[in-house]
Amino acid sequence: MPLSLSIVIPSHRRVDLLRLCLASVARFAPPQTEVIVVDDGSPGGVISQAASEFTGVKVIRQPRAGGFCIAANAGIAAATAPVVELLNDDAEVTEGWATAALRWFADERIAAVAPLILQNDPNRLQRGLQPLIDTAGDEYDPGGFAIKRGHGQTLEKWRVESGSFEWRVESGEWRVESEDKRAGSVSGGQEKQETGKASDVFLDSCLHSPLSTLHSPLKRATLHSPLSTLQIPGFVWGASAAAAFYRRDTVIRAGGFPEQFRAYFEDVDLSFRLRRLGFEIVYDPASVVWHRVSSSYGRKPSRRVLEQQSCNEERVFWRNVRGMARARWLPRHAAVLMAKALKRFQEGTLMPWLLGRVRALAG
């Protein structure tokens, strides 16, 4: 029997997206699912007001905005189920997404499950184009950057262990048909390196290098994942907190999300700590979530956001790549930094990127 579930949704100001998120949860969540909205100091308490429109939703009101990490930790502390899903307020779930993920927690080695997260781009969907993958689990290059598996790839019709998935152009729906012929559909609802989009030669070579494939008791896919490796469940390095499922007691044991990060790369840092405790992370494409990518800060991040992302990315490396491993990978990290600096210079965002790195190194 699957374990019970608590869903934690941190939210600061996007009332419109939160309502869509909660409507999808109300429609598709398993019975007795606990839903917790953490109002991260929203102006006038608008998030609390919107959440109260949905029956059974618990609200935690933070007195001031503290960022995603503080809000997420508050929600996890209040959760009562053994499994917690962190869900962005700009995400929407689909039929069977929770059942597919929860089954993995029968194995005590599993600390987290990464769903298949699809980009919820209304313009693309209205044109009848197939959705793009946001992430199919995360990987980490020891040179110092995280990668979204499958990012930007399209999905043709393919079968996975628990059913058949098909994007229907004529209706603009993602249809999930299970093996016992039960069917349902839901209308279409970055801070990590986007696979295959590095503009310079060095970063592109990192994505294809065998050095960037981290080891596991079972064989892992390469970081630049072909579509075939995204069609079946399997071990991955990490899970995006946009919609990841976590074993609650293990997250607490690992120390939760790093609150000094506020937001960005906090899930990468947590994945490191879960793995150091000896746990595994699994990806399951039968668990499908839509995500309006970058809704929290827009398609063009502000200088402040860019600085925070840069700072946290650097923090992850120095906090988690330790001892002899650091000595081994430091030259690669230096090369990655030079390549990223050149890329940021070309984009006109070098200064906030540099300030972020300096903040991280200054502690």
Side-chain angles (χ1 to χ4, degrees):
M1 182 177 179
L3 297 175
S4 58
L5 175 67
S6 294
I7 299 175
V8 173
I9 308 172
S11 188
H12 174 57
R13 60 181 179 180
R14 292 303 303 268
V15 172
D16 54 338
L17 297 181
L18 176 64
R19 287 193 175 105
L20 292 173
C21 176
L22 287 172
S24 72
V25 169
R27 181 180 179 188
F28 295 119
Q32 309 305 316
T33 295
E34 179 181 53
V35 181
I36 301 171
V37 171
V38 182
D39 181 340
D40 187 28
S42 66
V46 293
I47 291 299
S48 297
Q49 295 168 23
S52 67
E53 298 170 8
F54 293 81
T55 302
V57 173
K58 300 178 182 179
V59 178
I60 299 174
R61 166 81 170 153
Q62 299 285 84
R64 63 183 62 85
F68 177 85
C69 293
I70 290 177
N73 285 343
I76 292 170
T80 60
V83 177
V84 175
E85 182 184 23
L86 261 293
L87 193 63
N88 277 14
D89 61 1
D90 58 354
E92 294 176 54
V93 301
T94 65
E95 184 179 16
W97 106 103
T99 302
L102 288 173
R103 60 179 179 156
W104 291 99
F105 291 98
D107 186 337
E108 295 184 355
R109 299 173 300 168
I110 304 303
V113 175
L116 170 63
I117 303 179
L118 302 177
Q119 296 182 32
N120 189 350
D121 183 344
N123 292 330
R124 183 178 179 85
L125 302 182
Q126 288 170 6
R127 291 159 58 197
L129 299 175
Q130 293 204 4
L132 301 178
I133 296 173
D134 180 24
T135 178
D138 291 344
E139 297 293 346
Y140 189 79
D141 185 282
F145 59 93
I147 305 106
K148 296 180 176 183
R149 294 176 68 241
H151 184 88
Q153 294 188 43
T154 58
L155 290 174
E156 303 295 337
K157 181 178 179 181
W158 40 269
R159 287 193 59 80
V160 297
E161 179 178 325
S162 61
S164 175
F165 292 74
E166 180 179 7
W167 173 248
R168 293 181 174 243
V169 174
E170 69 277 7
S171 62
E173 295 178 333
W174 182 257
R175 187 173 181 83
V176 183
E177 184 174 344
S178 64
E179 291 179 348
D180 61 2
K181 305 302 181 182
R182 289 180 293 112
S185 61
V186 59
S187 298
Q190 301 169 298
E191 64 279 10
K192 301 186 182 86
Q193 181 69 43
E194 298 176 356
T195 307
K197 290 192 176 181
S199 62
D200 57 272
V201 174
F202 178 78
L203 289 179
D204 188 63
S205 69
C206 283
L207 295 176
H208 292 82
S209 169
L211 293 174
S212 57
T213 302
L214 303 183
H215 296 289
S216 166
L218 295 183
K219 184 178 180 181
R220 295 184 182 278
T222 58
L223 296 185
H224 194 71
S225 303
L227 186 59
S228 61
T229 68
L230 307 179
Q231 297 175 9
I232 57 175
F235 289 131
V236 290
W237 186 87
S240 168
F245 293 79
Y246 294 101
R247 194 181 297 275
R248 179 180 177 273
D249 59 354
T250 305
V251 170
I252 293 173
R253 178 182 166 193
F257 290 100
E259 296 189 353
Q260 66 270 41
F261 279 38
R262 291 184 62 87
Y264 310 117
F265 293 95
E266 72 290 325
D267 45 7
V268 181
D269 190 81
L270 177 58
S271 292
F272 261 111
R273 285 178 280 124
L274 292 175
R275 299 181 63 78
R276 274 202 297 274
L277 290 174
F279 291 93
E280 289 283 0
I281 299 169
V282 167
Y283 158 71
D284 193 331
S287 178
V288 180
V289 175
W290 293 95
H291 183 212
R292 292 179 186 264
V293 180
S294 302
S295 290
S296 59
Y297 55 76
R299 294 289 177 179
K300 187 176 181 180
S302 68
R303 293 173 67 88
R304 181 178 178 182
V305 167
L306 289 171
E307 181 181 335
Q308 188 66 40
Q309 290 174 347
S310 177
C311 178
N312 288 352
E313 184 178 46
E314 190 68 11
R315 281 170 165 168
V316 168
F317 177 82
W318 292 99
R319 282 164 58 99
N320 296 289
V321 182
R322 304 172 176 178
M324 295 302 296
R326 180 184 296 178
R328 178 184 180 189
W329 297 115
L330 197 56
R332 184 180 180 84
H333 182 58
V336 167
L337 289 179
M338 288 188 289
K340 280 181 172 278
L342 176 60
K343 185 170 184 280
R344 295 303 185 187
F345 175 77
Q346 294 169 340
E347 295 172 346
T349 58
L350 179 61
M351 187 54 65
W353 182 86
L354 280 175
L355 288 173
R357 302 290 156 163
V358 171
R359 277 179 52 202
L361 294 173

